[in-house]
Amino acid sequence: MVRTTLFTAAALLIAGPAFAAGGCSTASASKFQPKATLESQLKAEGMTVRQIKTEKGCYEVYAVDKAGKKVNAAYNAETLAKMADAEAGEN
């Protein structure tokens, strides 16, 4: 039992970064949601979008929030799910 737990913990530590970086879409660009859809979603949240770039299956967003703070975020280009790492598409 202890060996199994230790093995599982070690496997998760090794694979953890791969799971974190793997959030961008691997589908072809034809399956990506339109940038305009993401921009509309962000505007509805009160953001002013400055630029949206496509980077390896992610949309990298540069915007300004309601409080005037600069925002740099990454979204899966296929699902528009926000990534935990703002630089997700650059890795």
Side-chain angles (χ1 to χ4, degrees), residues 33-91:
Q33 294 286 328
K35 288 181 184 179
T37 303
L38 178 58
E39 186 171 0
S40 295
Q41 175 183 321
L42 295 170
K43 283 182 179 180
E45 295 174 10
M47 292 195 193
T48 302
V49 177
R50 300 288 185 211
Q51 182 180 19
I52 299 176
K53 297 188 323 185
T54 306
E55 302 232 355
K56 298 181 185 172
C58 275
Y59 287 141
E60 187 169 353
V61 175
Y62 299 92
V64 178
D65 68 10
K66 292 183 232 181
K69 183 179 172 189
K70 290 182 181 180
V71 175
N72 179 12
Y75 293 81
N76 180 299
E78 186 178 4
T79 65
L80 299 184
K82 186 174 182 179
M83 310 301 335
D85 179 12
E87 306 297 324
E90 295 181 13
N91 296 331

